[in-house]
Amino acid sequence: MSHSHDHNHDHHSANDPHDHSSDIQPALQTLLWQQIEFEKILTLNERPRDAGARIVEKTWPQRLDPSPMLSSDADEQLLMTVPFAGSVKLHSLLVRSSDSGAAPKTLKLFANRDGLDFDAAGALAPTQVLTLARTGDVQEVPVKRALFGGVYSLTLFFEDNYGEEVTGIYYLGFKGDFTRLSREPVEVLYEKAANPRDHAPIVGIGDMAASGARRGM
């Protein structure tokens, strides 16, 4: 396990001068970062603790930083759930790993499926399956937008890698459109049938109406 971590770190340093991620620099209005609820990110089989949230917390200028780094622990699989603070129309993922066997390969995405464990993620049909490249550059991986409208949480199942015992990821970002959901309670107003007991009578009005009705007014 330690060999995989050291290998990824060294390779990153060698590749810094050749990074091409500036070619896909996201427009600020489509980079989903402020809209992520970082404190609620849950990653299973991660090492070290909270590393999954830390790589998502990286800003675009920090995308090449060698740490923090997310590694898998017991095996090569990782399962991460990322909640958003509203409704997202997802366009693409931004992923940076390494040009090594520790680079993630098969990524299964589940929209709005909170609470998945590895067994469920392996058994259920994903919203979409992606194949990630073995590269140390930031890669932008588009999704089928029609499948990812109205997303409030995204679960990412990194199912395998390119041959190492553990998987390593340095940066993970998201691009899309965002609509904030109101957290304020909604007060519903409606009219109901009038009940005379709900209103204090005005002296004289009742008598005048009754008298008018009797006279055919």
Side-chain angles (χ1 to χ4, degrees):
M1 289 186 181
S2 59
H3 171 74
S4 174
H5 183 278
D6 294 341
H7 177 79
N8 289 344
H9 182 90
D10 294 344
H11 189 88
H12 166 73
S13 300
N15 274 282
D16 280 351
H18 307 290
D19 179 71
H20 301 288
S21 57
S22 59
D23 298 340
I24 60 169
Q25 183 165 347
L28 292 178
Q29 62 268 25
T30 61
L31 183 60
L32 301 170
W33 187 84
Q34 294 181 336
Q35 299 83 3
I36 297 172
E37 297 188 314
F38 299 109
E39 72 281 1
K40 296 181 181 179
I41 293 175
L42 177 64
T43 307
L44 302 184
N45 197 39
E46 67 176 353
R47 180 173 59 89
R49 182 177 178 179
D50 295 329
R54 299 293 85 83
I55 67 165
V56 178
E57 278 186 313
K58 286 184 178 181
T59 62
W60 179 251
Q62 296 171 328
R63 67 194 182 280
L64 302 182
D65 291 355
S67 62
M69 172 188 172
L70 168 63
S71 294
S72 60
D73 190 11
D75 56 23
E76 77 281 8
Q77 296 187 336
L78 287 161
L79 186 64
M80 178 188 295
T81 299
V82 178
F84 299 100
S87 177
V88 166
K89 293 180 180 179
L90 190 65
H91 297 174
S92 60
L93 306 181
L94 300 165
V95 184
R96 179 176 177 271
S97 54
S98 63
D99 184 10
S100 74
K105 183 178 181 181
T106 304
L107 172 57
K108 295 182 177 180
L109 301 178
F110 299 84
N112 303 331
R113 293 298 299 263
D114 296 345
L116 293 182
D117 58 17
F118 284 104
D119 290 338
L124 295 174
T127 308
Q128 186 176 354
V129 180
L130 303 174
T131 300
L132 305 179
R134 174 173 168 164
T135 176
D137 293 336
V138 176
Q139 55 185 305
E140 180 171 7
V141 188
V143 301
K144 296 179 180 178
R145 298 188 185 187
L147 300 178
F148 293 92
V151 176
Y152 59 83
S153 74
L154 185 69
T155 299
L156 303 92
F157 178 31
F158 297 92
E159 188 172 36
D160 56 22
N161 60 23
Y162 282 87
E164 294 255 355
E165 293 182 357
V166 298
T167 296
I169 305 172
Y170 292 103
Y171 172 76
L172 181 61
F174 307 89
K175 289 176 66 176
D177 297 325
F178 175 79
T179 302
R180 181 169 296 279
L181 300 180
S182 173
R183 296 177 181 270
E184 298 299 323
V186 178
E187 182 178 2
V188 179
L189 300 178
Y190 60 94
E191 280 294 324
K192 63 180 181 179
N195 186 341
R197 296 180 181 178
D198 293 339
H199 306 280
I202 301 176
V203 177
I205 296 296
D207 295 337
M208 290 173 60
S211 176
R214 286 194 296 269
R215 295 175 183 176
M217 292 177 63

